Each structure stands twice: as structure tokens, then as C-alpha cells.
Amino acid sequence: MSQKEQIEVKQIEQVVVRFSGDSGDGMQLAGNIFSAVSASVGNGISTFPDYPADIRAPQGSLTGVSGFQVHVSEGQSLTPGDKCDVLVAMNAAALKTQYRYARQGATIIIDTDSFGPNDLRKAEFQTDDYLAEMGIDSDNVVACAMTTMVKDCLADSGMDNKSILKCRNMFALGLVCWLFNREVEGVENYLREKFAKKPQIAEANIQVVRAGYDYGNNTHASVPATYRIETKTKVPGRYMDITGNKATAYGLIAAAERAGLRLYLGSYPITPATDILHELSKHKSLGVTTVQCEDEIAGCASAIGAAFAGALAVTSTSGPGICLKSEAMNLAVIDELPLVVIDVQRGGPSTGLPTKSEQTDLLQVLYGRNGESPMPVIAATSPTDCFDKAYMAAKIALEHLTPVVLLTDAFIANGSAAWRLPNVEELPEIRPHRVSDEMKDGYTPYLRDEETCVRYWAVPGQEGFQHILGGLEKDGKTGAISTDPENHDSMVRLRQRKVELIPVPDLEVLGDKDDAELLIVGFGSTYGHLYSAMEELRKEGCKVAMAQFSFINPLPQNTAEVLRRYKKVVVAEQNLGQLAAYLRTKVSGVNILQYNEVKGQPFTVEALVKNIKPVI
């Protein structure tokens, strides 16, 4: 092709791409690869895997559509985007269900081989003219016979028809890589690593990726231009595309390494937390022990045993598992043992929406246990922040001899972002609150530091430190079982005071912090959406500030001062007002308003702006 015939390449700041198809079409893999390749060149990324709860819905059905949305930008990507600029729809059902996530005028890429009469019937189209029926301008559609071309591409591969069809997602990926000037070498390296034990599968997928790329390059795919997203700022270091669950696992490994302890995870598989168990099970060489227990109770109880034995003990679950673990969590509270409890929140109640995301477990982890059972609670704000907060949860547990709850959710646990690998030696020091040699032979299990109220940690086998812990209340001086009312009152207050004294960072205010008319407040994973909404409102001339809680119990010491500084406070959360209710019990004299959604989907910036602006 001559230079004159070359298609125009436009420089853009950001783009949102959504891959969609049957749950067996490999949309999550295609999206993950495009994200990883984008992250590897320094682009900011934010992803949103949106998959069905069905293990395998009927092929071509509306309930079986799986989506993966990725926001790629020249700088930091805080959200996966409200609407996509490019929608890949591998079949009629995907187009029918996913087009609502596309902006007006978006480029739609479809596999015409999957839009036959039977496909349209399953997708509940009323006519054969499916584009007109949905109000889609055909000029915005890249219609290509992907299935036919993939079959032709792999005709001599020796693969069976079913295996060949599994490669269709790579054709779509190759086409998208061409559209955004992504080098396919990065995709090839990813595939060869992923399918290292199946080189034939790897090479077949690579062949199809190249075919998709060449199709776009040779036909121009009916688009006016291709696009390039440069990197705005480059910070030296090693980067990777990381999910929240993997970052959580890495944060725990780093904490164990920094503390000089073995890491133990007792867990029971549950969506969307299972990937933490899967990831940690790969790292036995780093001193990690994982046990897939018979149930949630055993997962937590075994972790308590590991904590008693001197390990960094962790148990992972989602909301339903927290219900089951609550009695064992109470045991960790009264025994004052270091335990990290990870709650990857999902839609509820009961089984609810197991593959969707909510923030509905906050009050459960704060109060959902019998007796006075205080427990620190922290929340991660992004996939990469899961590393930092997992590390911090372990630090608090080990230094203050207490169980700690780390809240993430399906949105950030399964979502991903570009992450710069840290130097472990530069991470905050972790000093477990151990006994000293001077305490030998005079040790009792509830001997405490007078300033922090933290007891001293001894482990079985330490000569001169024999002791017993258990679920019955103990005498604070001798460690013997006690039913004395004054002792019980003292022990309850000491356990509460110990948590209250844990130092946490001050609450940071962003935006127009000195003269805002309104403060937007949230916690955990809504950070990116709330920050983006605040910036949009500021562009429209509104005076707005924002504060996002990561440390919820204990609250930052400046919480009351910050909230009382503003005439109006809107607490936005993906529940019916749990953080708002909690703040009302802790801070008086604040006009707290609420914005709540419980849809199993992330906030959209557009909806936040639309609903918050009238309050101003």
C-alpha cells in the first residue's frame, strides 16, 4: 500500500472499548489481553468485567452474555467509563443487551455469521433488520464474517471445529489492535506465556490475531481513521496489568515477607473472592500455605489456629461467608489474635447477584457479631489499592493483635489497572507485637502495653510462655477463666479501646476544599466515579469537594472536623445508606444527605452529576 493510501491516524486522549459475546466466547480473555498490552506501553487503564451468574447459559441467549469494558487513556484512568466508544458484539444477543452501554455514534464491530435467523430469534429480535430495529446507523457498523474467516485461517491447523471457533475472540482482538495501533507482538507474547503448555493452541490464536489485524489493515474496515493513545507521563519502573484480587494476594505476601512470618490462608471457594485462593496457592516457594477448607467456618477457624501458632493468618470470602464466619471471628476478637478477614462484597441478600458488585456488607462487618466485638475495618479504593490495603490490614493485625476486615468488592476485585511494582524494602515496616525475653516465666496472655492496650503475642513452643486462649472470658491479670463482672467490664472496654487507639491517616479532602458548597463522601471502590463526578461539576462552575473513606473503624481523627466544615454533605454509596447511618452515630451536627444505588453495577459519572448538581 502506498503512503497516499494509508489511512489517517488520529491522536486521542482516551477510548472505552467493550467486548461482548457468549460466556464461552472468551470476551474476558480478549479484554484482559487488550488491557495488558495497553498497560505495558504505559497507558492508564481501568477495566470492568461484567459476566453472568449462569455457569453456561444456552448459546446465543440473552442471559448468557458476558462483557468486558476497558478504559484506556494517556494518563490515569479512574473509571472504566460510562459508555463505550467501540462495542464488539460477537452475536445477536450481545448486540441486543450491550448496545445500551455504547455512546451515540459508537463504532460497532459484529460477526455477521452469528446474526442468522436462529440467532436473531434467540435474541428476541422482531425483524431481520436488527440494526434498524435498534436504531443503529449502519455507517457506524463494521460487519465482517469473523467465523468464516477464522475457519479459513485455521483450515490446515488440524484442529477440530469446536476448537477453531474458540479462536474467534482473537480475530476481534486483532481488529481492535489494528484500530488503535497496538503492536500484535505484545499479544503474541501474552498468548505464548498463557498457553506455554499448549503451544499449538498458542500459535493458532496468534495466527487468528494476525488475521484480524491484517483484515483491518487491508480493508480499512469501513472506518475513517485509526487511533493512537500516547502515554502522558512515564514513571520509570516495572509495570503490569493487575486485578484487585491478585493485588490483594500480593499485598499479603509482601506483608508476610516484611514481618518475617509465614502466610496462611484458610478459605472456601466463593464468587468473587476465589481468585485470591487460586493466586496464593501458586506461591508455596514464598512460604505461603493455602488450605481449601470444607466450609466457610473451617476456613476461618483454621486461620485462627494458624494465628495462634504464629503465622500471618488470613481468611477470604464474600458477604454470605462473613455470616458463617462471624462466630469464629468473635473467637479471634476475644482471644486477641492477628487475623485478616477479606470480604469481596457482591450483590445480596442470600445468593443475590453473585457476579455483581455492591457495598452492602459494611454494617455487617462493623456490627454483625454477638456481644461487644470491635474490629478494625478498612476498604480498598481501586484494583491497585488492594495491594496497599491488604498490606495495611496485615500490619494493623500484627501490630495490634486484632482481627481486621478488608472490604473490597466484585468491581475492583475483578477489574484491573496498570500497577507499578513496589520495592518491598520501601514498604512500611511491620513489627508484630511479640513478647520479649524479659517477660519469660512471668508472662500471662493478656499482659498489655499500657499506652496502646495491645497484649503481647507469644506462640506455642516458646519456653517460659505457656498460656491458654479460648472463647470464655479470661481474667485480665492471670489469664484464668473468669465470670467476675468487673473483670468482664474491664476486658470489654480494653478491647474497644485498643481498636480506638489504632493510628490511621487523616481524611483527605480533594477539590475545592476551602470554599466548597458541597462535600461528596464515599468509601472504598466508588472513589474513581466520585472523583470524576466532582471534576465534572467543577468544570460546570460548581464549588465541590470530596472525601473518600478507606479507614472506617476507627475513623480518621479529623472526620468530625472535615464533615462539619461544609453546609451540605452527600454520602454516595452502593447500598441504602449504611455509611451515612454509621457517620450519623459518630458525628453530630452534620447535614448528611444521601445518594444510593443498589443495581449491582458501578456508578456512572453522568448519573452522579445529574443527581448531585440540584443539591448544590
Side-chain angles (χ1 to χ4, degrees):
M1 184 181 294
S2 68
Q3 186 67 31
K4 185 178 180 180
E5 294 172 310
Q6 290 285 347
I7 192 169
E8 181 185 2
V9 179
K10 292 184 177 180
Q11 190 74 32
I12 57 175
E13 295 181 355
Q14 59 184 346
V15 71
V16 177
V17 180
R18 189 177 183 93
F19 296 86
S20 62
D22 267 331
S23 55
D25 281 343
M27 294 296 96
Q28 305 298 321
L29 177 60
N32 273 313
I33 295 176
F34 186 69
S35 303
V37 171
S38 300
S40 69
V41 298
N43 289 146
I45 64 167
S46 176
T47 72
F48 173 47
D50 189 14
Y51 50 93
D54 308 52
I55 293 176
R56 182 57 60 86
Q59 189 174 9
S61 65
L62 296 173
T63 59
V65 175
S66 176
F68 187 102
Q69 186 161 304
V70 54
H71 178 193
V72 182
S73 65
E74 62 178 14
Q76 186 180 15
S77 295
L78 293 177
T79 78
D82 288 359
K83 301 279 187 178
C84 64
D85 304 292
V86 176
L87 171 64
V88 177
M90 299 298 288
N91 62 17
L95 182 66
K96 185 70 171 289
T97 60
Q98 305 297 297
Y99 182 65
R100 60 177 172 165
Y101 299 116
R103 66 169 178 78
Q104 188 70 29
T107 298
I108 314 295
I109 300 173
I110 65 172
D111 177 7
T112 54
D113 289 327
S114 298
F115 281 77
N118 192 44
D119 302 306
L120 296 175
R121 178 184 59 78
K122 287 182 181 179
E124 299 180 7
F125 280 99
Q126 303 302 311
T127 67
D128 291 339
D129 192 353
Y130 50 89
L131 295 180
E133 189 173 325
M134 296 195 68
I136 299 174
D137 187 342
S138 60
D139 290 341
N140 298 325
V141 178
V142 177
C144 52
M146 291 190 204
T147 301
T148 298
M149 287 188 280
V150 170
K151 287 181 177 180
D152 291 343
C153 179
L154 299 178
D156 299 326
S157 66
M159 297 169 62
D160 60 71
N161 188 61
K162 184 178 180 181
S163 298
I164 289 174
L165 292 179
K166 286 184 176 180
C167 298
R168 289 190 315 139
N169 59 334
M170 292 297 105
F171 190 97
L173 176 60
L175 184 54
V176 171
C177 285
W178 166 79
L179 186 59
F180 294 102
N181 288 274
R182 292 282 183 247
E183 297 294 336
V184 293
E185 284 77 7
V187 179
E188 293 172 2
N189 294 335
Y190 187 105
L191 290 169
R192 288 195 177 104
E193 182 177 346
K194 179 174 179 60
F195 297 107
K197 296 181 180 179
K198 298 178 180 179
Q200 182 186 9
I201 299 296
E203 295 308 315
N205 277 283
I206 289 170
Q207 191 173 340
V208 174
V209 167
R210 290 173 180 161
Y213 189 95
D214 291 342
Y215 173 81
N217 194 46
N218 294 332
T219 67
H220 293 182
S222 305
V223 297
T226 62
Y227 306 92
R228 178 179 287 115
I229 304 169
E230 298 291 351
T231 303
K232 191 173 184 180
T233 56
K234 294 185 178 181
V235 179
R238 186 180 177 188
Y239 288 81
M240 66 180 292
D241 171 25
I242 196 168
T243 65
N245 275 338
K246 181 175 284 191
T248 299
Y250 286 3
L252 296 170
I253 293 172
E257 176 74 19
R258 200 78 169 97
L261 300 175
R262 292 183 64 87
L263 174 60
Y264 175 89
L265 175 74
S267 187
Y268 179 77
I270 182 172
T271 301
T274 308
D275 285 341
I276 298 171
L277 171 62
H278 289 169
E279 183 60 38
L280 287 176
S281 69
K282 301 174 184 177
H283 299 289
K284 294 180 178 65
S285 62
L286 297 176
V288 179
T289 300
T290 57
V291 177
Q292 180 176 316
C293 298
E294 63 268 30
D295 55 38
E296 295 283 4
I297 300 170
C300 191
S302 68
I304 291 172
F308 181 65
L312 170 52
V314 184
T315 186
S316 57
T317 189
S318 188
I322 293 292
C323 296
L324 294 166
K325 293 180 191 290
S326 61
E327 184 177 3
M329 290 165 66
N330 252 0
L331 178 61
V333 170
I334 198 168
D335 285 352
E336 299 186 53
L337 285 168
L339 173 69
V340 177
V341 181
I342 300 167
D343 179 4
V344 186
Q345 299 169 96
R346 70 187 205 184
S350 187
T351 309
L353 304 175
T355 63
K356 307 302 180 184
S357 185
E358 286 179 8
Q359 294 183 301
T360 46
D361 295 348
L362 178 59
L363 293 182
Q364 178 180 214
V365 297
L366 285 169
Y367 301 120
R369 295 170 296 280
N370 66 290
E372 293 292 339
S373 187
M375 198 174 291
V377 176
I378 62 179
T381 59
S382 70
T384 57
D385 188 51
C386 287
F387 175 91
D388 299 316
K389 293 306 183 291
Y391 187 92
M392 186 56 65
K395 178 177 170 67
I396 290 173
L398 293 169
E399 293 184 345
H400 297 272
L401 273 290
T402 178
V404 178
V405 176
L406 169 60
L407 288 174
T408 70
D409 56 47
F411 170 55
I412 57 173
N414 293 321
S416 63
W419 180 58
R420 182 174 178 269
L421 275 67
N423 184 336
V424 175
E425 298 302 320
E426 296 175 357
L427 295 172
E429 190 175 7
I430 296 178
R431 296 181 178 179
H433 200 251
R434 295 189 177 99
V435 293
S436 64
D437 291 338
E438 291 76 18
M439 298 177 187
K440 187 176 180 180
D441 297 322
Y443 172 75
T444 59
Y446 295 104
L447 182 67
R448 300 176 186 274
D449 181 286
E450 292 184 1
E451 291 186 6
T452 64
C453 298
V454 180
R455 78 175 189 89
Y456 292 93
W457 191 21
V459 298
Q462 285 184 272
E463 186 178 353
F465 292 96
Q466 294 86 350
H467 65 285
I468 296 174
L469 299 177
L472 291 172
E473 185 68 277
K474 304 295 193 297
D475 186 281
K477 295 179 180 179
T478 67
I481 294 173
S482 172
T483 58
D484 179 73
E486 297 303 321
N487 175 77
H488 178 58
D489 184 84
S490 173
M491 292 294 279
V492 167
R493 294 178 187 277
L494 282 168
R495 289 189 288 263
Q496 176 67 37
R497 184 62 177 158
K498 178 180 71 172
V499 173
E500 292 173 348
L501 290 174
I502 293 172
V504 299
D506 276 351
L507 184 63
E508 183 181 9
V509 181
L510 305 172
D512 300 310
K513 54 186 178 182
D514 295 324
D515 58 351
E517 303 169 38
L518 178 142
L519 177 70
I520 302 171
V521 171
F523 78 94
S525 68
T526 57
Y527 170 81
H529 292 88
L530 298 184
Y531 182 88
S532 300
M534 176 191 72
E535 290 296 285
E536 287 297 318
L537 287 165
R538 293 177 72 199
K539 288 178 184 178
E540 296 181 20
C542 300
K543 291 290 186 179
V544 187
M546 171 194 164
Q548 191 80 357
F549 283 93
S550 286
F551 296 87
I552 301 171
N553 190 34
L555 287 167
Q557 289 191 352
N558 68 333
T559 297
E561 182 271 323
V562 167
L563 297 183
R564 289 169 181 160
R565 196 188 307 165
Y566 304 96
K567 293 181 180 179
K568 296 178 181 178
V569 176
V570 173
V571 179
E573 46 189 323
Q574 292 178 308
N575 54 48
L576 294 182
Q578 296 187 20
L579 178 64
Y582 177 66
L583 291 175
R584 289 187 184 107
T585 68
K586 297 293 184 180
V587 183
S588 61
V590 180
N591 179 22
I592 293 180
L593 307 172
Q594 295 178 207
Y595 177 74
N596 305 105
E597 286 186 5
V598 198
K599 299 180 178 179
Q601 296 285 326
F603 283 139
T604 64
V605 176
E606 180 183 10
L608 287 168
V609 171
K610 179 181 178 181
N611 286 277
I612 292 175
K613 189 173 182 179
V615 178
I616 302 173

